[in-house]
Amino acid sequence: MPEPVRLVDLAKTLRSKNAGVDLVTFDIFFPDPETFHRVVDSRALTKESVAQLFRTEPGRVVTFLELEPLRAIKFTIRRDRPSGSPGDSDVFGAQQYAPLLSVTIP
Amino acid sequence: MRIVSPNGHLGFAPTRPGSFYESLRHDPDFLIADSGSCDIGPGPLGGNTCASPREWQCHDLELMLLAARERKIPMLIGSAGDTGGNRSVDMFVEMIQQIASAHQLDEFRIGYFHSEVPTQAVADAIRRGTMVPGLDGRAELALEDIDRTDRIVAVAGSAPYISLLDAGADVIIGGRSSDCAVFAAPAIRAGFAEELAYYMGKVLECASFCAEPYGGKESVMGEITDSYVDVTAMHPDQRCTPSSVASHSMYERSHPYFEALAGGTLDMTECRYEQVAEKTTRVTGPKFAATDELFVKLEGSGLVGSRYIGFAGVRDEYTIRHIDDAIAWARGQVADRFGEGGYELHFHVFGRDAILGKAEFVTTPAHELGVVVEAVARDDAMAKSVAMTATRQLFYARLPQVKGTAGSVSFLFDEVLAASPAYEWTVNHVIPATALPGLFPTNVVSSLS
């Protein structure tokens, strides 16, 4: 059995960015099919787990996709308020991926 | 047909000239750049301003214009001046004329089109019973949404670019446009398959973001044929690889395989990627499904109010542990003076949860905190006064066991600063094109006028 490892150490790219004004989308790319399958099979990332991780309701996770050909996991969350509104702290949505860094893959 | 994309958002940060000049050695047929985005927030559209410095916009336009005129190839700019608003389009047309004059270029034709839709026209369409469905979970557009909207742009497809090319334009300055349609337009006009043309647009729109390793503002080149699209990185250290090109296809979009456009949907599910040269990846297999009814995306922004910003630092460990109590105190003092409504007050606690908000998972605050106090109100005087009250009252927050009683926070300066007015995205919807006649009016003017 492999040792548990942090998602950030398995991913090649891990990013967040606006997808339009109401959504933030998260892309996680893996370097090879084995790593991709290890993460997918662990079920550490699911629609429900990312909703929990980002402290939002599963209904606000508008897409959750495991993309085998791209060796990627992608999900999209609806913002609490449109980008750049008063009170918003991340106009581009570019730093919202941070909670993913700490996820541990068994 | 070969198209060079020198910059993923022209003007936002300067184009790097080295890879751009390298791209010219490949004999491109068109130089095309997208110059706008809703990513920059609602302020520039609502306030009719630019997010980019004029100097950088001029730098990028000059770089492209001189190369385009020297080679006698067309140059196309989409979503001019960050927003694609009418003022931005007119400003870019003027800049092109000024650069042409400064360099004494031979006369050429500048085509341009506007994308703004009067808010009244959208309101009238709603009153006539037109359904204006919301995108990304928004409700159908209501008249109340229009009431709090200052400016609306419609997002153009390839049609106005094609008609301006037909009219003989050498340079085209477009209003708000679908990023990939700007690049697809000349290829569609030349008879290449729509699916390949739109795919090429999709991959070129952000310039070097489709290459690796990461490096912004570098040129990339797309070549379209009857059966494939080749994408080539122009910076000496960058390559377009199957992985970099495929992964770019999902950038900034909620779904990796589908891109909605005016007139149809680009489907990238069956795309195949193949490295055909050191820096070139070949793409085959995109599909395009045209829709029967033409829907146009609308983006709208409205003023929320004037905005002032205060800043306070905290180093006392007790105050840090009780920062929410200090904020509650400041809020209470503002409410005592201004009441509960008529303004917005946000505290951004850097060093604890300013960036992630409720999603923050580190529950221990840092050993020092920076609190940005953001106040928004109907006019400057009130916004300033609310920001001032809240920031000063952080200083005077009465926490029961604090030892340093001279002041609860540190000040870099003791005033509050005028920030850009606060706007909000009020419209993110689609409307049937038939409900808004006369969208995207085109014009052609001389470079000498």
Side-chain angles (χ1 to χ4, degrees):
Chain A
M1 283 292 286
E3 291 289 302
V5 56
R6 294 209 312 162
L7 182 64
V8 63
D9 296 323
L10 292 177
K12 183 179 165 197
T13 300
L14 219 167
R15 69 188 177 198
S16 58
K17 183 79 203 293
N18 289 346
V21 302
D22 291 318
L23 306 175
V24 178
T25 193
F26 298 78
D27 301 333
I28 312 167
F29 293 98
F30 298 99
D32 50 63
E34 294 71 34
T35 314
F36 168 76
H37 284 295
R38 176 177 174 184
V39 174
V40 168
D41 294 346
S42 77
R43 310 300 296 153
L45 292 179
T46 61
K47 188 170 183 166
E48 290 68 31
S49 80
V50 298
Q52 205 170 13
L53 189 65
F54 287 87
R55 315 243 165 92
T56 193
E57 307 87 64
R60 294 186 84 90
V61 181
V62 296
T63 54
F64 185 92
L65 299 157
E66 292 159 346
L67 303 162
E68 186 160 21
L70 295 173
R71 297 173 211 150
I73 296 173
K74 181 179 184 70
F75 58 94
T76 304
I77 297 181
R78 198 153 179 242
R79 281 173 167 271
D80 288 340
R81 62 186 83 203
S83 67
S85 305
D88 180 32
S89 57
D90 196 350
V91 175
F92 288 76
Q95 279 291 300
Q96 297 304 304
Y97 62 88
L100 289 168
L101 299 174
S102 65
V103 170
T104 300
I105 305 301
Chain B
M1 175 185 289
R2 292 175 174 181
I3 296 177
V4 162
S5 169
N7 191 326
H9 181 161
L10 181 135
F12 196 71
T15 300
R16 306 243 181 203
S19 58
F20 177 66
Y21 291 133
E22 171 61 26
S23 75
L24 299 176
R25 298 175 46 207
H26 296 261
D27 291 327
D29 300 295
F30 289 86
L31 303 178
I32 303 182
D34 165 52
S35 177
S37 172
C38 51
D39 258 0
I40 52 176
L45 178 63
N48 212 14
T49 58
C50 288
S52 301
R54 185 181 174 93
E55 187 193 344
W56 295 354
Q57 293 169 330
C58 275
H59 167 273
D60 288 2
L61 289 176
E62 183 176 45
L63 199 67
M64 286 178 76
L65 182 66
L66 295 183
R69 295 320 303 146
E70 191 187 322
R71 282 162 183 73
K72 299 284 183 281
I73 56 175
M75 155 182 169
L76 279 60
I77 305 293
S79 302
D82 304 317
T83 62
N86 293 357
R87 174 187 165 275
S88 292
V89 170
D90 297 345
M91 187 184 77
F92 267 30
V93 170
E94 260 179 52
M95 278 185 193
I96 292 288
Q97 288 169 333
Q98 285 163 2
I99 297 164
S101 162
H103 292 273
Q104 297 180 311
L105 299 180
D106 290 342
E107 183 175 13
F108 57 89
R109 278 170 287 191
I110 307 172
Y112 67 93
F113 69 88
H114 286 158
S115 283
E116 280 186 30
V117 180
T119 53
Q120 203 53 49
V122 181
D124 289 345
I126 293 172
R127 281 195 203 93
R128 287 195 306 268
T130 305
M131 254 265 283
V132 187
L135 291 168
D136 304 328
R138 285 200 183 208
E140 189 184 328
L141 195 65
L143 288 171
E144 302 86 79
D145 300 317
I146 305 290
D147 288 343
R148 54 191 188 92
T149 299
D150 290 297
R151 188 161 286 97
I152 296 177
V153 284
V155 182
S158 53
Y161 291 94
I162 291 174
S163 63
L164 286 168
L165 287 169
D166 287 343
D170 301 298
V171 172
I172 298 176
I173 302 296
R176 185 73 176 114
S177 310
S178 147
D179 300 352
C180 63
V182 189
F183 294 87
I188 292 170
R189 179 170 176 264
F192 291 101
E194 278 183 317
E195 57 261 29
L196 289 173
Y198 284 123
Y199 184 88
M200 180 167 63
K202 179 66 212 152
V203 75
L204 291 183
E205 60 167 320
C206 284
S208 51
F209 275 16
C210 68
E212 62 182 341
Y214 175 80
K217 305 294 164 190
E218 304 290 356
S219 293
V220 294
M221 186 179 73
E223 179 168 10
I224 186 169
T225 70
D226 290 337
S227 50
Y228 59 81
V229 171
D230 276 357
V231 201
T232 307
M234 290 294 139
H235 186 275
D237 297 333
Q238 284 192 310
R239 301 170 67 216
C240 285
T241 67
S243 145
S244 74
V245 173
S247 64
H248 181 72
S249 69
M250 65 157 81
Y251 184 62
E252 292 182 318
R253 303 170 38 249
S254 58
H255 199 285
Y257 295 139
F258 299 103
E259 171 88 4
L261 296 151
T265 302
L266 176 65
D267 176 354
M268 295 175 271
T269 316
E270 307 275 304
C271 279
R272 287 174 300 280
Y273 302 87
E274 180 193 357
Q275 191 92 46
V276 291
E278 167 65 17
K279 297 162 85 68
T280 304
T281 284
R282 178 163 298 171
V283 187
T284 50
K287 294 188 171 60
F288 184 74
T291 44
D292 295 337
E293 192 178 3
L294 188 64
F295 276 86
V296 178
K297 186 186 174 203
L298 299 178
E299 299 172 350
S301 169
L303 182 70
V304 183
S306 297
R307 174 159 54 183
Y308 271 77
I309 299 288
F311 183 82
V314 190
R315 184 62 182 84
D316 181 287
E317 59 187 41
Y318 176 84
T319 309
I320 287 174
R321 278 204 304 278
H322 295 87
I323 188 65
D324 287 329
D325 297 332
I327 289 171
W329 165 269
R331 261 190 209 288
Q333 296 297 307
V334 170
D336 283 352
R337 188 158 161 201
F338 298 96
E340 299 285 348
Y343 62 88
E344 280 191 47
L345 186 56
H346 302 280
F347 294 85
H348 304 272
V349 184
F350 284 85
R352 191 187 65 176
D353 59 0
I355 298 164
L356 294 181
K358 69 179 185 192
E360 183 54 67
F361 53 94
V362 177
T363 50
T364 314
H367 68 281
E368 61 182 24
L369 301 178
V371 183
V372 173
V373 179
E374 179 187 13
V376 176
R378 63 178 175 272
D379 59 42
D380 257 33
M382 185 174 174
K384 185 175 186 179
S385 199
V386 169
M388 192 67 147
T389 306
T391 308
R392 287 276 166 85
Q393 290 299 330
L394 281 176
F395 189 81
Y396 293 116
R398 290 183 190 169
L399 301 178
Q401 288 171 46
V402 74
K403 297 289 163 72
T405 52
S408 298
V409 299
S410 73
F411 286 141
L412 288 176
F413 40 78
D414 65 2
E415 76 269 37
V416 291
L417 306 176
S420 53
Y423 284 86
E424 186 173 23
W425 291 113
T426 50
V427 181
N428 182 27
H429 291 73
V430 289
I431 191 167
T434 48
L436 295 174
L439 276 176
F440 314 121
T442 57
N443 292 281
V444 180
V445 295
S446 161
S447 63
L448 300 179
S449 56

